[in-house]
Amino acid sequence: MRIETNFLFDLDGTLVDSVYQHVLAWKQALDAEGIALSVWRIHRKIGMSGGLFTNQLLRETDLEISPERVDRLRRLHAEAYAGLSGQIVPLPGAQALLAALTEAGIPRAIATSGRMETAKANLDALGIDPGAVPVVTRDRVKYAKPDPDLFLAAAERLGVRIDHSVIVGDSIWDMLAARRCKGLGVGLLSGGYGTDELERSGAVRVYEDPADLLVHLDEVGGRR
């Protein structure tokens, strides 16, 4: 008897090199609303849900938080991100990692805090067909990261147990969500967070990027 491992992946900063495009897109959206905020503060929020993200940013600036403003910022961010989407490329080893899991017969899914309007460009860059690979976006759950709903929904789509899942992400919000649903959190440095931050948030292993994870896949149960 053995545990059959499966992998649940975050998308931005984990499989595609898109974190800083999101930061710049949020900066453009905030500037359009006349909200002055340093870029580094924006980066610290990347990986959580867009609604929670805007709520936190607006709280930090002591500005009025209205549903209309939150929705307007989301739309401005999506428009700005679309203008930068031509820059999005897979992170080193991302496609090879997914191919290796497929070849080994190990189930995998993608769970992203982004809505499909922004996630589609990332999936296209990866060559991922949402009809062939389970993809759960913010549109499909009530709450996104750091709540565990996205990963729970992805596990359900695969028909696997969440406590048998290896949850791979680049942010502290991924690791916090993994802890809450009792998945095994594995962190990547490719989103800009440090090893110590990821480990404090629950990562049991930290690798540089998907290519580094692929080399060490057997360390986290990625074998048949």
Side-chain angles (χ1 to χ4, degrees):
M1 180 178 177
R2 66 186 299 270
I3 290 175
E4 296 292 340
T5 306
N6 65 87
F7 283 75
L8 309 179
F9 290 94
D10 171 53
L11 186 56
D12 293 291
T14 299
L15 294 174
V16 292
D17 195 6
S18 57
V19 167
Y20 295 100
Q21 284 78 13
H22 273 296
V23 171
L24 293 174
W26 278 114
K27 177 64 174 168
Q28 288 184 41
L30 291 164
D31 286 348
E33 281 285 297
I35 301 172
L37 202 70
S38 300
V39 170
W40 75 268
R41 290 188 179 277
I42 299 172
H43 175 257
R44 304 299 298 175
K45 308 294 188 297
I46 296 297
M48 62 170 57
S49 73
L52 183 57
F53 175 96
T54 50
N55 284 344
Q56 288 209 14
L57 290 179
L58 292 174
R59 277 201 300 271
E60 287 186 15
T61 54
D62 293 323
L63 294 172
E64 177 191 357
I65 303 173
S66 67
E68 294 77 20
R69 188 166 217 177
V70 169
D71 186 62
R72 192 162 59 244
L73 281 167
R74 182 188 63 77
R75 287 187 286 104
L76 287 167
H77 163 261
E79 291 168 7
Y81 186 75
L84 299 168
S85 61
Q87 303 174 9
I88 306 303
V89 296
L91 281 159
Q95 292 167 310
L97 173 59
L98 295 174
L101 293 175
T102 299
E103 185 177 350
I106 298 174
R108 74 277 189 275
I110 295 172
T112 173
S113 290
R115 296 176 184 272
M116 186 54 79
E117 60 186 343
T118 55
K120 187 178 185 308
N122 299 343
L123 296 171
D124 289 345
L126 273 174
I128 293 290
D129 176 7
V133 177
V135 177
V136 180
T137 61
R138 177 67 182 85
D139 319 74
R140 301 299 184 93
V141 297
K142 184 175 182 180
Y143 297 114
K145 305 161 194 173
D147 287 276
D149 302 30
L150 284 163
F151 294 128
L152 289 168
E156 185 178 10
R157 286 278 302 276
L158 287 177
V160 298
R161 289 178 50 167
I162 192 65
D163 58 341
H164 290 181
S165 300
V166 176
I167 296 176
V168 184
D170 66 291
S171 76
I172 61 174
W173 314 111
D174 295 310
M175 298 303 101
L176 290 170
R179 287 181 80 167
R180 291 183 66 183
C181 62
K182 296 181 171 55
L184 189 73
V186 171
L188 300 183
L189 299 176
S190 41
Y193 281 93
T195 299
D196 57 339
E197 294 178 290
L198 293 168
E199 289 179 341
R200 283 200 307 270
S201 301
V204 296
R205 290 288 185 276
V206 177
Y207 301 100
E208 290 185 358
D209 56 17
D212 191 29
L213 172 57
L214 177 57
V215 172
H216 298 91
L217 199 56
D218 56 342
E219 295 179 356
V220 292
R223 58 185 178 182
R224 282 297 192 189

